[in-house]
Amino acid sequence: MSNNIIDTDSEDEIPPGWEERVTFEGRVFYASHDQQNTQWKHPVTGKEKYVRGELPYGWERVIQDDGTIVYVDHINKKTCFTDPRLAFAEPLKTSPKDFRQKFDGNSSALQILNGRDLTGKYAIITGASDGIGYETAKSLAFHGATIIMACRNTEKAEKCKSNILKDRPKATIEILHLDLASLRSVKQFAEEYKRRAWPLHMLILNAGVFGLPYVVTENDLEMTFQVNHLSHFYLTKLLYDLLVSSAPSRVVVLSSESHRFPKIHMVEDVTEDSLSLPKDKYSDMNAYNISKLCNNLFSLHLNKLLAGKKVTSNSLHPGSCISTNLQRNWWLYRVVFFIVRPFTKSKQQGAATTVYCATHPDVEEIGGMYFNNCCPCQPSKESMDEQLAEKLWTVSETILQDRLARLTSI
């Protein structure tokens, strides 16, 4: 090794006499004090890097009278000349799909958000009063986002809000009632949200049910199908224009690896009876699997409709058998979840992929994908079938319009 290169295990280490700096636009450059010149490429690796996004929470960029840029850390009351985002500098990408995995199944939601400031961002999270939804709400609130907890049980949501505010008194959290088993409630939620004139940067469709006995909603639909898919479909349609006007914004749909198991393979298989199962064809696991395939296909087609509008949609698998309240409906599921609990993710880890898809710069221009462990992965071939996705959208629209017509006729 030459004498002017420091002996280190890190290939990104800057040699003596060099300094790493950032332009106002976020491009990293390197200044040589010995040679009195600058260059874009790392003096050792030859890589070009950049930083993007906002400064970390509590930091401010200040331009002094002489034009010097300094960075003020208001939390720790310190000032420096180094952009704190340099700690998160990334190699320059040649394509949005030039993806490098930085997190995995052991990462937590708060680790994903390290150094991020989401002040000014508004996020709707359905089912935010429990489990992964609560951890998602807490993590985003801790980093400055305005959280709208969309919950059926508002009393429980108030307790969750209080818990978050104990740790972050300055967190901004609103609670709006939303019962996904009622299309009327979905409409009322969307109308109330719009009435308050809030923007919408993150629509996180987290709520879901699992392991139910056969139950029909007030809209005459099988409960799992309506709660897990159709009501989220309706909610997104009602908020579609707001997502576009608030762009850049993102839709995040929580799916599951269970999406791989339904016997829906062709366009002809997508009918109302194959989605909202009748009683004689019902099994709780099959209904859940179907709803999760619907989540993937819905996200895929939604992303296609949003192309060019700076709004993306992705679906994800948060983790298997995470100990939430999802398994509450049958004692056997509760036993199974209890047994496997030591081997599964925590709820904070379960929220990581949601938070990653909703906020991370790496996913800013990526849509129509399926994520697992904070990384794009291959879903079932049915989940990538655009014709199947379009058919699901059409059938869902037909079912929705039929049920809404029944409401107006009452």
Side-chain angles (χ1 to χ4, degrees):
M1 181 177 292
S2 61
N3 292 332
N4 66 327
I5 303 297
I6 193 168
D7 188 9
T8 173
D9 290 333
S10 172
E11 65 173 13
D12 286 332
E13 189 74 38
I14 303 297
W18 287 84
E19 183 181 351
E20 195 173 35
R21 299 177 183 172
V22 181
T23 67
F24 199 79
E25 294 78 20
R27 191 171 179 186
V28 178
F29 67 98
Y30 302 90
S32 171
H33 296 293
D34 295 334
Q35 301 173 25
Q36 297 293 305
N37 65 2
T38 61
Q39 62 188 52
W40 296 116
K41 293 184 178 181
H42 190 286
V44 177
T45 66
K47 295 179 181 178
E48 294 186 43
K49 301 170 77 175
Y50 69 103
V51 298
R52 61 177 171 180
E54 62 291 316
L55 292 168
Y57 185 72
W59 284 79
E60 180 186 6
R61 181 194 292 113
V62 176
I63 302 177
Q64 298 181 323
D65 293 339
D66 62 357
T68 304
I69 298 175
V70 297
Y71 298 89
V72 181
D73 179 355
H74 292 290
I75 295 176
N76 297 304
K77 303 187 185 315
K78 295 181 180 179
T79 301
C80 64
F81 294 99
T82 303
D83 189 324
R85 296 176 300 169
L86 272 172
F88 311 103
E90 304 172 15
L92 194 65
K93 290 185 177 182
T94 57
S95 163
K97 294 187 178 181
D98 181 12
F99 190 89
R100 183 180 63 157
Q101 185 172 4
K102 301 171 185 173
F103 306 99
D104 57 25
N106 293 316
S107 303
S108 69
L110 288 171
Q111 288 173 334
I112 303 295
L113 290 168
N114 185 32
R116 303 295 309 283
D117 183 1
L118 301 177
T119 302
K121 301 294 184 181
Y122 282 69
I124 292 175
I125 306 170
T126 66
S129 62
D130 201 0
I132 293 170
Y134 170 70
E135 293 296 332
T136 301
K138 179 177 73 173
S139 300
L140 295 176
F142 276 17
H143 285 263
T146 297
I147 305 301
I148 294 83
M149 302 177 73
C151 302
R152 179 177 57 84
N153 188 338
T154 54
E155 183 178 344
K156 187 175 182 180
E158 287 287 355
K159 293 178 181 177
C160 292
K161 176 180 176 179
S162 296
N163 288 336
I164 294 172
L165 291 176
K166 285 179 184 177
D167 291 328
R168 288 292 190 280
K170 294 184 179 180
T172 306
I173 303 170
E174 302 285 346
I175 297 172
L176 294 182
H177 179 261
L178 174 64
D179 182 358
L180 294 169
S182 166
L183 296 177
R184 192 188 306 274
S185 176
V186 175
K187 184 179 181 182
Q188 290 170 345
F189 172 90
E191 288 174 345
E192 177 61 20
Y193 192 92
K194 291 178 180 178
R195 186 188 70 79
R196 300 197 185 197
W198 290 328
L200 179 56
H201 306 104
M202 293 170 264
L203 176 58
I204 300 175
L205 306 178
N206 165 85
V209 293
F210 167 79
L212 295 175
Y214 184 74
V215 180
V216 175
T217 69
E218 65 180 49
N219 303 114
D220 194 31
L221 291 166
E222 189 275 312
M223 178 73 80
T224 307
F225 168 71
Q226 179 167 336
V227 171
N228 291 8
H229 168 63
L230 192 71
S231 286
H232 280 143
F233 172 82
Y234 185 33
L235 178 63
T236 307
K237 285 176 62 67
L238 292 172
L239 297 174
Y240 183 95
D241 290 343
L242 188 55
L243 284 164
V244 173
S245 65
S246 305
S249 50
R250 308 185 194 185
V251 181
V252 179
V253 187
L254 269 73
S255 180
S256 166
E257 280 294 280
S258 295
H259 81 270
R260 301 182 187 276
F261 305 120
K263 295 179 181 178
I264 295 177
H265 307 296
M266 299 181 292
V267 169
E268 294 77 17
D269 296 332
V270 183
T271 65
E272 180 173 337
D273 280 353
S274 70
L275 301 176
S276 177
L277 296 173
K279 189 173 183 178
D280 61 339
K281 296 181 180 178
Y282 181 80
S283 77
D284 59 347
M285 186 60 76
N286 191 33
Y288 182 75
N289 296 346
I290 290 168
S291 73
K292 296 296 105 177
L293 176 59
C294 288
N295 293 156
N296 285 354
L297 291 172
F298 159 64
S299 178
L300 178 67
H301 193 65
L302 176 63
N303 189 72
K304 182 178 180 180
L305 296 177
L306 291 168
K309 296 179 171 64
K310 295 186 178 180
V311 186
T312 60
S313 179
N314 289 293
S315 60
L316 64 94
H317 172 60
S320 299
C321 297
I322 298 173
S323 184
T324 65
N325 206 26
L326 193 66
Q327 69 275 17
R328 65 187 180 275
N329 294 300
W330 190 26
W331 68 268
L332 182 58
Y333 290 139
R334 294 196 296 273
V335 170
V336 170
F337 276 58
F338 177 78
I339 292 172
V340 303
R341 184 175 180 178
F343 312 103
T344 61
K345 293 180 180 180
S346 69
K347 284 176 275 194
Q348 251 294 309
Q349 291 170 330
T353 305
T354 300
V355 167
Y356 181 76
C357 289
T359 67
H360 203 276
D362 281 354
V363 196
E364 191 171 21
E365 300 178 45
I366 296 178
M369 304 287 284
Y370 175 71
F371 283 75
N372 189 0
N373 293 328
C374 303
C375 184
C377 68
Q378 191 84 353
S380 66
K381 65 177 182 179
E382 289 81 8
S383 292
M384 299 184 292
D385 189 327
E386 293 189 1
Q387 289 185 323
L388 204 59
E390 186 173 356
K391 179 64 179 296
L392 172 69
W393 190 281
T394 301
V395 172
S396 297
E397 182 68 38
T398 300
I399 297 171
L400 177 62
Q401 294 306 321
D402 174 70
R403 293 330 191 260
L404 293 178
R406 295 187 195 183
L407 284 178
T408 58
S409 65
I410 297 175

